[in-house]
Amino acid sequence: MTRLRPTQPLLEVAVRTDPGRRRSRNEDWMLAADPCFLVSDGVGGYEAGDLASRAATGAFSEEFTAPATATLARIDAALEQARQRVAEIARGTERGAGCTLTGVIRIEHEGVPAWYVVNIGDSRVYLLRGSEFVQLTKDHSLREERLDGGLGGAVATPRNVITRALGSDDSRHDAWLLPIETGTRLLLCSDGLTTEVDDGQLRAVLSIGGRTDAVADELMRRALDAGGRDNVTLIVIDVVSGGVEPGSSDGPSAVDDGSDTTIEQTRPRRR
């Protein structure tokens, strides 16, 4: 567990990653260094997924080498670098290379601390605010598209067929701003967690309270005990103080950065 306070707000963060029970190599990569908290998962079916996920998070690590409030321009620059680096890795393989990229970046918007939520692929960000449990991101997957379209048999569609990823033909990202509220808890994770642990269990563990280390350990334990069929990576973030007061914000707002690689069609879901 790490307590971070380079500036307000005060965050408490715990990070865990494990290759799982069935895989010898961990193709997940993460970054948990204020102001960036990101999870990247090497895409199945490609080569060099571990190199792709490491390159994607590395682009942000290099852009934000010292703790500081980010800007939209710097985030855009890091995203573009991530795209270019993963594409370069893909060009050097026979079957390509790709990865997801999901997480939150702390910025200041109109004088108010805010999370820049970003998503490409099917890793996820969840928010616990009081009794409200929200999946902030929307999976870029064939299953999700069929569910949205009301197509028959959508539930039976495999979850791991994703429609967007860095290194793929479609690497566009969803992005929006969410005020940082004191007392809230965030969970960032690869699908190795959500495949094994359903939303009901996630909500229960996150709601129990306790320090972020204990919560992260329990989530990892449940994922591995349920089979651990994939790599599992998770970041738990508590906003201890310094955020806006709970209930004083209007919720998420779309990021208009003028980029045609951003699609604003994702909205939080209550669980």
Side-chain angles (χ1 to χ4, degrees):
M1 176 188 67
T2 304
R3 278 182 178 258
L4 303 172
R5 195 175 191 175
T7 60
Q8 296 287 0
L10 174 63
L11 308 176
E12 187 174 283
V13 183
V15 180
R16 299 290 184 273
T17 188
D18 194 282
R21 303 296 194 201
R22 302 187 184 182
R23 304 199 177 194
S24 59
R25 185 169 64 179
N26 193 343
E27 296 196 348
D28 288 356
W29 207 263
M30 73 292 193
L31 174 63
D34 192 46
C36 297
F37 304 91
L38 301 167
V39 170
S40 184
D41 176 7
V43 176
Y46 289 99
E47 296 178 48
D50 54 339
L51 297 181
S53 58
R54 184 171 184 173
T57 54
F60 283 85
S61 179
E62 292 177 21
E63 176 66 36
F64 302 100
T65 54
T69 301
T71 64
L72 294 179
R74 294 180 69 194
I75 294 171
D76 284 345
L79 279 165
E80 185 55 32
Q81 271 296 307
R83 287 188 176 93
Q84 292 179 11
R85 293 182 185 189
V86 175
E88 184 176 352
I89 292 170
R91 285 193 292 269
T93 67
E94 291 185 5
R95 292 187 292 118
C99 63
T100 69
L101 183 69
T102 303
V104 295
I105 303 160
R106 182 178 60 81
I107 72 168
E108 200 167 282
H109 180 65
E110 298 180 348
V112 176
W115 293 120
Y116 179 106
V117 185
V118 61
N119 181 51
I120 308 169
D122 64 349
S123 297
R124 294 180 179 178
V125 178
Y126 291 90
L127 169 70
L128 180 71
R129 177 171 50 200
S131 61
E132 183 183 35
F133 183 57
V134 182
Q135 181 184 325
L136 294 179
T137 53
K138 178 178 180 179
D139 294 351
H140 298 144
S141 67
L142 182 60
R143 181 177 187 270
E144 195 72 17
E145 288 184 358
R146 289 181 172 178
L147 286 171
D148 287 346
L151 300 178
V155 174
T157 304
R159 277 188 49 184
N160 62 349
V161 181
I162 66 174
T163 55
R164 287 195 229 166
L166 291 174
S168 73
D169 291 337
D170 190 350
S171 65
R172 295 169 297 174
H173 66 281
D174 292 336
W176 59 97
L177 297 177
L178 182 73
I180 298 176
E181 293 183 333
T182 297
T184 53
R185 171 171 281 176
L186 290 171
L187 169 65
L188 289 53
C189 60
S190 63
D191 68 340
L193 176 65
T194 54
T195 297
E196 305 292 3
V197 183
D198 63 30
D199 281 5
Q201 293 186 67
L202 294 178
R203 179 175 190 160
V205 175
L206 292 170
S207 300
I208 287 172
R211 305 294 285 271
T212 53
D213 271 333
V215 171
D217 285 340
E218 177 61 16
L219 289 171
M220 181 62 74
R221 183 192 68 79
R222 292 192 182 207
L224 296 179
D225 287 353
R229 289 167 287 180
D230 198 356
N231 307 150
V232 183
T233 297
L234 61 97
I235 302 173
V236 180
I237 306 170
D238 280 356
V239 183
V240 179
S241 65
V244 300
E245 289 303 309
S248 63
S249 64
D250 295 327
S253 60
V255 177
D256 183 7
D257 59 4
S259 171
D260 62 2
T261 57
T262 303
I263 292 181
E264 296 312 328
Q265 60 183 23
T266 306
R267 287 295 177 266
R269 312 171 168 198
R270 284 161 180 77
R271 297 293 181 179

